[in-house]
Amino acid sequence: MPLVAGIDSSTQSCKVVVRDADSGERVRAGSAPHPDGTEVDPQAWWDAMEEAVAEAGELDDVVALSVAGQQHGMVCLDDQGTVIRPALLWNDTRSAQAADDLIEELGGGEQGRKAWADAVGSVPVASFTVTKLRWLAEHEPENASRVAAVCLPHDWLTWRLAGCAGLDALVTDRSDASGTGYWAPATGEYRADLLQRALGRAVAVPRVVGPAEAVGHTSAGAVLGPGAGDNAAAALGLGAEPGAVIVSVGTSGVACAVANSSSADASGAVAGFADATGRHLLLVATLNAARVLDAAARLLGVDREELSRLALETEPGAGGLVLVPYLEGERTPNRPDATGALHGLRLATATPGHLARASVEGMLCGLADGIDAIRSQGAAVERLILIGGGARSEAVRRIAPAVLGSAVTVPRAGEYVADGAARQAAWVVSGAVAAPDWPLVGAEMIDATPIPAVRKRYAGVRDLTAHRPA
């Protein structure tokens, strides 16, 4: 029974799972928290990974492992491989102006957005690495001058696991490279001109390897897989095929679909990434998802379970109370300086239940907008798979079909990003053409009558708050 491991270095924590390479059966697991904040010293990821590995019973008996990680994070290294400054994470919005400037430099407006979408499949927003590099060049020129190489969180962890053999040993995979803003999924090549435009000069970047290519060995002799971005790893862990849309309610909200061809959405709503199998991943991300529920629960002085109960006891539509949940700005739509808005408050709706229901519906409406955007890019939307910590809420699971307009499949709660990394590791050592077929067990199908009025009312409030006076 050969064992493989998958590591998920996410925004909030590191998770490690060990699985049977042949059957996919889970053997053991561990986890450890990451620090809060939108910038983090990468050493904290390494320390958390070691703690999670120890909790999982160490990895001396695994034949292979892969690391999946949060996308976009900017890890800058000097010529000795030393981290120059804390990594700016995907949810750090300080580079919003840099994103606007980069679009303006390629023509501005629709022309600039189209130029970027045609070049790399996506339009820059504050999340992307390319905008963070521009911010660094403008605001920390001394640090920028020291940069010899730039990589992403999973790249850096894989590099350290392989022994830090030099900057030319940095590797990444297609899925994570496609979130930088300077690698093109359609051509499989870096756009050195766009990287240079952002930072002001050329620097080293990781070599992009194939989806099942071995990239080295750990000190214990385990084969290292290429790893992946978190959303691509989750899709691999779920065995998603074209036609399935994964809706993830985590720190961020994500709707993504595996597709056979790349996309270039000039509106910027859909990011045209690569997946972890050699295909493509059309993705819409929001900054506000499960933490919207936490914020509502905090306002009401209840826990998530009680918030769920209150929401389910309140009528659909929350009596006209609408929450636009841009509590930390927003990435989709691109409104980094936006704030949340509560609309329709009357004496009748000034109750805990109405606020609870509005928070769940508002969060889901944002994800429903994302699914519509994916559909507009020609992706088939035949099945919705609901995952993430927020999907553990009974209210989210029961209300989702009514808001999203379709039945949802809810797999048994699991660590699908780490599972995808483990599945990739099994693929690497198998030498097979495709990833192993691990069954998805314990899934529940939930259906409900769609309620279009909820989304219509939400859209009206969302558009009403789009342009606020300064």
Side-chain angles (χ1 to χ4, degrees):
M1 184 180 74
L3 300 178
V4 293
I7 297 171
D8 169 19
S9 184
S10 71
T11 310
Q12 295 180 318
S13 63
C14 180
K15 280 85 70 177
V16 176
V17 298
V18 176
R19 290 187 173 270
D20 180 292
D22 298 324
S23 68
E25 180 182 355
R26 180 165 165 156
V27 176
R28 58 184 192 266
S31 66
H34 283 160
D36 291 332
T38 63
E39 64 172 53
V40 173
D41 183 345
Q43 182 63 39
W45 301 330
W46 182 263
D47 294 343
M49 185 176 69
E50 289 190 319
E51 184 180 341
V53 165
E55 186 177 291
E58 302 297 340
L59 302 180
D60 295 339
D61 56 346
V62 305
V63 298
L65 65 91
S66 287
V67 181
Q70 52 183 302
Q71 288 187 265
H72 311 307
M74 180 188 71
V75 182
C76 293
L77 307 176
D78 67 14
D79 56 6
Q80 300 300 308
T82 302
V83 174
I84 293 171
R85 72 167 327 280
L88 296 186
L89 306 189
W90 64 273
N91 55 351
D92 191 297
T93 60
R94 72 185 74 179
S95 60
Q97 184 58 53
D100 291 343
D101 293 343
L102 287 168
I103 293 169
E104 187 66 28
E105 289 168 17
L106 291 194
E110 184 176 351
Q111 178 183 336
R113 291 192 297 271
K114 185 177 188 304
W116 277 97
D118 289 345
V120 293
S122 304
V123 178
V125 292
S127 298
F128 287 11
T129 319
V130 70
T131 70
K132 300 179 189 306
L133 288 171
R134 170 59 68 86
W135 179 90
L136 186 73
E138 292 181 341
H139 294 270
E140 297 182 1
E142 290 187 9
N143 282 335
S145 70
R146 296 175 55 206
V147 177
V150 59
C151 61
L152 302 169
H154 112 255
D155 310 340
W156 184 80
L157 288 167
T158 300
W159 181 66
R160 284 202 59 175
L161 284 167
C164 306
L167 297 181
D168 59 353
L170 285 164
V171 296
T172 192
D173 83 305
R174 295 171 66 253
S175 69
D176 229 3
S178 64
T180 61
Y182 45 83
W183 186 85
T187 64
E189 296 179 350
Y190 278 111
R191 286 293 302 264
D193 59 320
L194 298 179
L195 172 59
Q196 201 161 332
R197 175 179 290 276
L199 189 60
R201 59 190 178 85
V203 293
V205 289
R207 178 172 62 93
V208 181
V209 302
E213 184 175 338
V215 301
H217 294 80
T218 67
S219 59
V223 175
L224 278 169
D230 51 3
N231 295 298
L236 183 60
L238 290 161
E241 298 286 338
V245 175
I246 300 168
V247 181
S248 176
V249 185
T251 303
S252 61
V254 172
C256 62
V258 174
N260 290 319
S261 58
S262 59
S263 70
D265 180 12
S267 77
V270 179
F273 295 152
D275 83 336
T277 70
R279 292 178 292 198
H280 297 269
L281 193 72
L282 310 189
L283 184 144
V284 175
T286 69
L287 290 180
N288 302 279
R291 286 182 294 183
V292 174
L293 306 181
D294 293 335
R298 189 164 59 248
L299 281 171
L300 295 174
V302 300
D303 58 19
R304 271 208 197 170
E305 184 176 349
E306 177 64 7
L307 184 82
S308 176
R309 186 190 68 78
L310 289 167
L312 289 172
E313 287 184 349
T314 305
E315 71 271 18
L321 188 65
V322 175
L323 175 66
V324 178
Y326 301 161
L327 306 186
E328 293 191 315
E330 189 48 82
R331 166 173 165 173
T332 309
N334 185 25
R335 299 177 190 169
D337 299 321
T339 58
L342 191 65
H343 191 271
L345 187 63
R346 298 180 290 116
L347 288 175
T349 58
T351 74
H354 286 87
L355 178 58
R357 183 85 188 198
S359 68
V360 175
E361 291 180 344
M363 181 196 68
L364 289 170
C365 281
L367 290 167
D369 287 349
I371 295 170
D372 285 349
I374 287 172
R375 188 182 283 112
S376 75
Q377 292 300 300
V381 180
E382 300 167 358
R383 185 165 69 104
L384 302 182
I385 304 172
L386 185 65
I387 64 169
R392 296 174 185 172
S393 161
E394 183 74 8
V396 170
R397 295 197 301 273
R398 299 296 165 189
I399 296 171
V403 175
L404 302 181
S406 174
V408 298
T409 297
V410 185
R412 187 165 58 194
E415 301 297 347
Y416 291 107
V417 175
D419 289 344
R423 190 177 179 211
Q424 183 191 71
W427 186 9
V428 169
V429 293
S430 73
V433 174
D437 185 16
W438 289 354
L440 186 64
V441 297
E444 178 186 13
M445 175 76 77
I446 302 175
D447 203 355
T449 302
I451 308 176
V454 171
R455 289 197 59 198
K456 182 177 180 181
R457 190 176 295 113
Y458 173 87
V461 179
R462 177 198 63 206
D463 295 341
L464 180 67
T465 59
H467 304 289
R468 293 184 172 183

Short mmCIF file of all heavy atoms in Angstrom, two decimals, residues 188-246:
data_model
loop_
_atom_site.label_atom_id
_atom_site.label_comp_id
_atom_site.label_asym_id
_atom_site.label_seq_id
_atom_site.Cartn_x
_atom_site.Cartn_y
_atom_site.Cartn_z
N GLY A 188 1.36 28.91 -23.12
CA GLY A 188 2.26 28.19 -22.23
C GLY A 188 3.60 28.89 -22.06
O GLY A 188 4.60 28.24 -21.74
N GLU A 189 3.64 30.20 -22.20
CA GLU A 189 4.89 30.94 -22.12
C GLU A 189 4.76 32.15 -21.20
O GLU A 189 3.69 32.74 -21.08
CB GLU A 189 5.32 31.41 -23.51
CG GLU A 189 5.63 30.28 -24.48
CD GLU A 189 6.02 30.79 -25.85
OE1 GLU A 189 5.85 32.02 -26.09
OE2 GLU A 189 6.48 29.99 -26.67
N TYR A 190 5.88 32.50 -20.56
CA TYR A 190 5.92 33.74 -19.79
C TYR A 190 5.89 34.94 -20.74
O TYR A 190 6.42 34.88 -21.85
CB TYR A 190 7.21 33.81 -18.97
CG TYR A 190 7.16 33.06 -17.66
CD1 TYR A 190 7.91 31.90 -17.48
CD2 TYR A 190 6.37 33.51 -16.61
CE1 TYR A 190 7.89 31.21 -16.28
CE2 TYR A 190 6.34 32.82 -15.40
CZ TYR A 190 7.10 31.67 -15.25
OH TYR A 190 7.06 30.98 -14.06
N ARG A 191 5.27 36.01 -20.26
CA ARG A 191 5.32 37.28 -20.95
C ARG A 191 6.33 38.16 -20.19
O ARG A 191 5.96 38.94 -19.31
CB ARG A 191 3.94 37.92 -20.99
CG ARG A 191 2.99 37.26 -21.98
CD ARG A 191 3.45 37.48 -23.44
NE ARG A 191 3.55 38.90 -23.75
CZ ARG A 191 2.59 39.60 -24.35
NH1 ARG A 191 1.46 38.99 -24.71
NH2 ARG A 191 2.75 40.88 -24.61
N ALA A 192 7.60 37.99 -20.55
CA ALA A 192 8.66 38.71 -19.86
C ALA A 192 8.48 40.21 -19.98
O ALA A 192 8.87 40.97 -19.08
CB ALA A 192 10.02 38.29 -20.42
N ASP A 193 7.86 40.66 -21.08
CA ASP A 193 7.66 42.09 -21.25
C ASP A 193 6.71 42.66 -20.21
O ASP A 193 6.89 43.78 -19.72
CB ASP A 193 7.14 42.38 -22.66
CG ASP A 193 5.83 41.66 -22.97
OD1 ASP A 193 5.67 40.49 -22.56
OD2 ASP A 193 4.95 42.26 -23.62
N LEU A 194 5.70 41.87 -19.82
CA LEU A 194 4.74 42.35 -18.82
C LEU A 194 5.34 42.31 -17.42
O LEU A 194 5.07 43.20 -16.60
CB LEU A 194 3.46 41.52 -18.89
CG LEU A 194 2.72 41.58 -20.23
CD1 LEU A 194 1.48 40.70 -20.19
CD2 LEU A 194 2.34 43.02 -20.57
N LEU A 195 6.14 41.30 -17.13
CA LEU A 195 6.84 41.25 -15.86
C LEU A 195 7.80 42.44 -15.74
O LEU A 195 7.86 43.12 -14.70
CB LEU A 195 7.61 39.94 -15.74
CG LEU A 195 8.57 39.79 -14.55
CD1 LEU A 195 7.84 39.94 -13.24
CD2 LEU A 195 9.29 38.45 -14.61
N GLN A 196 8.51 42.72 -16.81
CA GLN A 196 9.46 43.82 -16.81
C GLN A 196 8.73 45.16 -16.71
O GLN A 196 9.20 46.09 -16.06
CB GLN A 196 10.30 43.77 -18.09
CG GLN A 196 11.61 44.54 -17.98
CD GLN A 196 12.60 44.10 -19.04
OE1 GLN A 196 12.57 42.97 -19.49
NE2 GLN A 196 13.48 45.01 -19.43
N ARG A 197 7.57 45.24 -17.33
CA ARG A 197 6.77 46.47 -17.23
C ARG A 197 6.36 46.72 -15.78
O ARG A 197 6.34 47.87 -15.31
CB ARG A 197 5.52 46.36 -18.11
CG ARG A 197 4.58 47.53 -17.99
CD ARG A 197 3.37 47.38 -18.90
NE ARG A 197 3.76 47.53 -20.29
CZ ARG A 197 3.88 48.69 -20.92
NH1 ARG A 197 3.65 49.82 -20.25
NH2 ARG A 197 4.21 48.74 -22.18
N ALA A 198 6.07 45.66 -15.05
CA ALA A 198 5.61 45.80 -13.67
C ALA A 198 6.75 46.20 -12.73
O ALA A 198 6.64 47.16 -11.97
CB ALA A 198 4.97 44.50 -13.19
N LEU A 199 7.86 45.45 -12.78
CA LEU A 199 8.95 45.65 -11.83
C LEU A 199 10.00 46.63 -12.33
O LEU A 199 10.75 47.21 -11.54
CB LEU A 199 9.60 44.31 -11.50
CG LEU A 199 10.61 44.27 -10.37
CD1 LEU A 199 9.97 44.72 -9.05
CD2 LEU A 199 11.20 42.88 -10.21
N GLY A 200 10.05 46.82 -13.63
CA GLY A 200 11.01 47.74 -14.19
C GLY A 200 12.27 47.08 -14.73
O GLY A 200 13.13 47.75 -15.32
N ARG A 201 12.40 45.76 -14.54
CA ARG A 201 13.56 45.04 -15.03
C ARG A 201 13.26 43.55 -15.02
O ARG A 201 12.26 43.10 -14.43
CB ARG A 201 14.80 45.34 -14.19
CG ARG A 201 14.65 44.97 -12.72
CD ARG A 201 15.79 45.48 -11.88
NE ARG A 201 15.60 45.16 -10.48
CZ ARG A 201 15.94 44.00 -9.93
NH1 ARG A 201 16.49 43.05 -10.68
NH2 ARG A 201 15.72 43.78 -8.64
N ALA A 202 14.11 42.79 -15.66
CA ALA A 202 13.94 41.35 -15.72
C ALA A 202 14.46 40.69 -14.44
O ALA A 202 15.48 41.11 -13.89
CB ALA A 202 14.67 40.78 -16.93
N VAL A 203 13.76 39.66 -13.97
CA VAL A 203 14.21 38.84 -12.84
C VAL A 203 13.89 37.38 -13.16
O VAL A 203 13.14 37.08 -14.09
CB VAL A 203 13.52 39.25 -11.52
CG1 VAL A 203 13.95 40.64 -11.08
CG2 VAL A 203 12.00 39.16 -11.64
N ALA A 204 14.47 36.48 -12.38
CA ALA A 204 14.22 35.05 -12.59
C ALA A 204 12.81 34.68 -12.15
O ALA A 204 12.27 35.24 -11.19
CB ALA A 204 15.24 34.22 -11.82
N VAL A 205 12.22 33.72 -12.85
CA VAL A 205 10.91 33.17 -12.50
C VAL A 205 11.00 31.65 -12.53
O VAL A 205 11.89 31.08 -13.17
CB VAL A 205 9.82 33.66 -13.48
CG1 VAL A 205 9.52 35.14 -13.27
CG2 VAL A 205 10.23 33.40 -14.93
N PRO A 206 10.11 30.96 -11.84
CA PRO A 206 10.19 29.50 -11.81
C PRO A 206 9.95 28.86 -13.18
O PRO A 206 9.18 29.37 -14.00
CB PRO A 206 9.06 29.11 -10.84
CG PRO A 206 8.81 30.33 -10.01
CD PRO A 206 9.06 31.47 -10.94
N ARG A 207 10.60 27.75 -13.41
CA ARG A 207 10.35 26.95 -14.62
C ARG A 207 8.97 26.31 -14.50
O ARG A 207 8.63 25.75 -13.46
CB ARG A 207 11.44 25.88 -14.76
CG ARG A 207 11.27 24.95 -15.95
CD ARG A 207 12.51 24.08 -16.10
NE ARG A 207 12.72 23.22 -14.94
CZ ARG A 207 12.26 21.97 -14.83
NH1 ARG A 207 11.54 21.44 -15.81
NH2 ARG A 207 12.52 21.27 -13.75
N VAL A 208 8.18 26.39 -15.55
CA VAL A 208 6.83 25.80 -15.54
C VAL A 208 6.92 24.37 -16.05
O VAL A 208 7.38 24.12 -17.17
CB VAL A 208 5.86 26.62 -16.42
CG1 VAL A 208 4.46 26.01 -16.38
CG2 VAL A 208 5.82 28.08 -15.95
N VAL A 209 6.48 23.43 -15.22
CA VAL A 209 6.60 22.01 -15.56
C VAL A 209 5.23 21.40 -15.86
O VAL A 209 4.19 22.01 -15.61
CB VAL A 209 7.29 21.23 -14.41
CG1 VAL A 209 8.66 21.81 -14.12
CG2 VAL A 209 6.44 21.25 -13.14
N GLY A 210 5.24 20.20 -16.37
CA GLY A 210 4.01 19.51 -16.72
C GLY A 210 3.22 19.06 -15.50
O GLY A 210 3.75 19.00 -14.38
N PRO A 211 1.95 18.72 -15.68
CA PRO A 211 1.07 18.43 -14.54
C PRO A 211 1.43 17.19 -13.75
O PRO A 211 1.01 17.06 -12.60
CB PRO A 211 -0.31 18.29 -15.19
CG PRO A 211 -0.05 18.01 -16.62
CD PRO A 211 1.22 18.71 -16.96
N ALA A 212 2.20 16.26 -14.33
CA ALA A 212 2.58 15.05 -13.59
C ALA A 212 4.08 14.84 -13.63
O ALA A 212 4.58 13.72 -13.56
CB ALA A 212 1.87 13.83 -14.18
N GLU A 213 4.83 15.93 -13.67
CA GLU A 213 6.29 15.86 -13.77
C GLU A 213 6.92 15.87 -12.38
O GLU A 213 6.59 16.73 -11.55
CB GLU A 213 6.80 17.04 -14.59
CG GLU A 213 8.29 17.02 -14.86
CD GLU A 213 8.72 18.16 -15.77
OE1 GLU A 213 7.86 18.68 -16.53
OE2 GLU A 213 9.91 18.52 -15.74
N ALA A 214 7.82 14.94 -12.12
CA ALA A 214 8.57 14.96 -10.87
C ALA A 214 9.57 16.11 -10.92
O ALA A 214 10.24 16.33 -11.93
CB ALA A 214 9.31 13.64 -10.68
N VAL A 215 9.69 16.85 -9.82
CA VAL A 215 10.55 18.04 -9.81
C VAL A 215 11.69 17.93 -8.80
O VAL A 215 12.48 18.87 -8.67
CB VAL A 215 9.73 19.31 -9.52
CG1 VAL A 215 8.64 19.50 -10.58
CG2 VAL A 215 9.11 19.28 -8.13
N GLY A 216 11.79 16.81 -8.11
CA GLY A 216 12.87 16.65 -7.14
C GLY A 216 12.49 15.64 -6.08
O GLY A 216 11.53 14.87 -6.25
N HIS A 217 13.26 15.64 -5.00
CA HIS A 217 13.02 14.72 -3.89
C HIS A 217 13.16 15.48 -2.57
O HIS A 217 13.94 16.43 -2.47
CB HIS A 217 14.00 13.55 -3.91
CG HIS A 217 13.83 12.64 -5.07
ND1 HIS A 217 14.34 12.94 -6.33
CD2 HIS A 217 13.19 11.44 -5.19
CE1 HIS A 217 14.03 11.95 -7.16
NE2 HIS A 217 13.34 11.04 -6.50
N THR A 218 12.44 15.03 -1.57
CA THR A 218 12.61 15.57 -0.22
C THR A 218 13.86 14.95 0.41
O THR A 218 14.44 14.00 -0.13
CB THR A 218 11.40 15.25 0.66
OG1 THR A 218 11.34 13.83 0.89
CG2 THR A 218 10.10 15.70 -0.01
N SER A 219 14.23 15.47 1.57
CA SER A 219 15.39 14.91 2.27
C SER A 219 15.17 13.46 2.67
O SER A 219 16.13 12.70 2.85
CB SER A 219 15.71 15.76 3.51
OG SER A 219 14.59 15.80 4.39
N ALA A 220 13.90 13.06 2.79
CA ALA A 220 13.58 11.68 3.13
C ALA A 220 13.47 10.78 1.90
O ALA A 220 13.21 9.58 2.03
CB ALA A 220 12.26 11.63 3.91
N GLY A 221 13.63 11.35 0.71
CA GLY A 221 13.63 10.55 -0.51
C GLY A 221 12.31 10.49 -1.23
O GLY A 221 12.20 9.81 -2.27
N ALA A 222 11.27 11.18 -0.74
CA ALA A 222 9.98 11.17 -1.42
C ALA A 222 10.06 12.01 -2.69
O ALA A 222 10.70 13.06 -2.74
CB ALA A 222 8.88 11.72 -0.51
N VAL A 223 9.39 11.55 -3.74
CA VAL A 223 9.32 12.29 -5.00
C VAL A 223 8.44 13.52 -4.80
O VAL A 223 7.40 13.46 -4.14
CB VAL A 223 8.74 11.40 -6.12
CG1 VAL A 223 8.54 12.20 -7.40
CG2 VAL A 223 9.64 10.21 -6.37
N LEU A 224 8.87 14.63 -5.36
CA LEU A 224 8.09 15.87 -5.28
C LEU A 224 7.34 16.11 -6.59
O LEU A 224 7.95 16.09 -7.66
CB LEU A 224 9.00 17.07 -5.00
CG LEU A 224 9.40 17.32 -3.56
CD1 LEU A 224 10.52 18.36 -3.50
CD2 LEU A 224 8.21 17.80 -2.73
N GLY A 225 6.04 16.31 -6.49
CA GLY A 225 5.26 16.71 -7.65
C GLY A 225 5.33 18.20 -7.85
O GLY A 225 5.85 18.94 -7.00
N PRO A 226 4.82 18.70 -8.97
CA PRO A 226 4.91 20.13 -9.27
C PRO A 226 4.06 21.01 -8.40
O PRO A 226 4.29 22.22 -8.31
CB PRO A 226 4.47 20.21 -10.73
CG PRO A 226 3.59 19.02 -10.93
CD PRO A 226 4.19 17.94 -10.07
N GLY A 227 3.02 20.45 -7.76
CA GLY A 227 2.10 21.27 -6.98
C GLY A 227 1.11 21.98 -7.87
O GLY A 227 1.03 21.74 -9.08
N ALA A 228 0.33 22.90 -7.27
CA ALA A 228 -0.73 23.59 -8.01
C ALA A 228 -1.25 24.76 -7.20
O ALA A 228 -1.03 24.85 -5.99
CB ALA A 228 -1.87 22.63 -8.33
N GLY A 229 -1.96 25.65 -7.88
CA GLY A 229 -2.73 26.67 -7.19
C GLY A 229 -3.90 26.01 -6.47
O GLY A 229 -4.36 24.92 -6.84
N ASP A 230 -4.40 26.65 -5.44
CA ASP A 230 -5.40 26.00 -4.59
C ASP A 230 -6.67 25.61 -5.32
O ASP A 230 -7.19 24.50 -5.13
CB ASP A 230 -5.72 26.86 -3.37
CG ASP A 230 -6.07 28.31 -3.70
OD1 ASP A 230 -6.11 28.68 -4.89
OD2 ASP A 230 -6.30 29.08 -2.74
N ASN A 231 -7.18 26.48 -6.19
CA ASN A 231 -8.43 26.15 -6.87
C ASN A 231 -8.26 25.02 -7.87
O ASN A 231 -9.13 24.16 -8.01
CB ASN A 231 -8.98 27.40 -7.56
CG ASN A 231 -9.37 28.47 -6.55
OD1 ASN A 231 -10.26 28.27 -5.74
ND2 ASN A 231 -8.70 29.61 -6.59
N ALA A 232 -7.14 25.01 -8.57
CA ALA A 232 -6.87 23.91 -9.50
C ALA A 232 -6.69 22.60 -8.75
O ALA A 232 -7.13 21.54 -9.21
CB ALA A 232 -5.63 24.23 -10.34
N ALA A 233 -6.06 22.67 -7.59
CA ALA A 233 -5.88 21.45 -6.79
C ALA A 233 -7.22 20.93 -6.29
O ALA A 233 -7.48 19.72 -6.28
CB ALA A 233 -4.96 21.74 -5.61
N ALA A 234 -8.11 21.85 -5.88
CA ALA A 234 -9.44 21.41 -5.44
C ALA A 234 -10.19 20.74 -6.57
O ALA A 234 -10.87 19.72 -6.37
CB ALA A 234 -10.22 22.60 -4.90
N ALA A 235 -10.11 21.30 -7.77
CA ALA A 235 -10.78 20.70 -8.93
C ALA A 235 -10.23 19.30 -9.18
O ALA A 235 -10.98 18.36 -9.49
CB ALA A 235 -10.59 21.58 -10.16
N LEU A 236 -8.91 19.13 -9.05
CA LEU A 236 -8.31 17.81 -9.22
C LEU A 236 -8.76 16.86 -8.12
O LEU A 236 -9.07 15.70 -8.38
CB LEU A 236 -6.78 17.95 -9.23
CG LEU A 236 -5.99 16.66 -9.48
CD1 LEU A 236 -6.32 16.05 -10.83
CD2 LEU A 236 -4.49 16.94 -9.37
N GLY A 237 -8.81 17.36 -6.89
CA GLY A 237 -9.24 16.53 -5.77
C GLY A 237 -10.68 16.07 -5.91
O GLY A 237 -11.04 14.99 -5.45
N LEU A 238 -11.51 16.89 -6.55
CA LEU A 238 -12.92 16.55 -6.74
C LEU A 238 -13.16 15.77 -8.03
O LEU A 238 -14.29 15.35 -8.30
CB LEU A 238 -13.77 17.82 -6.77
CG LEU A 238 -13.89 18.55 -5.43
CD1 LEU A 238 -14.34 19.99 -5.63
CD2 LEU A 238 -14.87 17.81 -4.51
N GLY A 239 -12.12 15.60 -8.83
CA GLY A 239 -12.28 14.92 -10.11
C GLY A 239 -13.17 15.67 -11.07
O GLY A 239 -13.88 15.06 -11.88
N ALA A 240 -13.13 17.00 -11.02
CA ALA A 240 -14.03 17.81 -11.85
C ALA A 240 -13.67 17.69 -13.33
O ALA A 240 -12.50 17.74 -13.70
CB ALA A 240 -13.95 19.28 -11.43
N GLU A 241 -14.68 17.55 -14.15
CA GLU A 241 -14.55 17.47 -15.60
C GLU A 241 -15.31 18.65 -16.22
O GLU A 241 -16.10 19.31 -15.53
CB GLU A 241 -15.13 16.15 -16.12
CG GLU A 241 -14.41 14.91 -15.61
CD GLU A 241 -13.05 14.70 -16.26
OE1 GLU A 241 -12.86 15.23 -17.37
OE2 GLU A 241 -12.20 14.02 -15.67
N PRO A 242 -15.10 18.94 -17.50
CA PRO A 242 -15.89 19.99 -18.15
C PRO A 242 -17.39 19.77 -17.95
O PRO A 242 -17.88 18.64 -18.07
CB PRO A 242 -15.49 19.87 -19.62
CG PRO A 242 -14.08 19.36 -19.57
CD PRO A 242 -14.06 18.40 -18.41
N GLY A 243 -18.10 20.83 -17.61
CA GLY A 243 -19.53 20.75 -17.31
C GLY A 243 -19.82 20.94 -15.84
O GLY A 243 -20.94 21.31 -15.46
N ALA A 244 -18.82 20.68 -14.99
CA ALA A 244 -18.99 20.86 -13.55
C ALA A 244 -18.45 22.23 -13.14
O ALA A 244 -17.38 22.63 -13.59
CB ALA A 244 -18.26 19.77 -12.79
N VAL A 245 -19.19 22.93 -12.31
CA VAL A 245 -18.74 24.20 -11.75
C VAL A 245 -18.60 24.00 -10.25
O VAL A 245 -19.54 23.58 -9.57
CB VAL A 245 -19.73 25.34 -12.05
CG1 VAL A 245 -19.28 26.62 -11.34
CG2 VAL A 245 -19.83 25.58 -13.54
N ILE A 246 -17.41 24.29 -9.75
CA ILE A 246 -17.14 24.18 -8.32
C ILE A 246 -17.41 25.53 -7.68
O ILE A 246 -16.86 26.55 -8.11
CB ILE A 246 -15.69 23.75 -8.06
CG1 ILE A 246 -15.43 22.39 -8.69
CG2 ILE A 246 -15.40 23.70 -6.57
CD1 ILE A 246 -13.96 22.02 -8.75
#
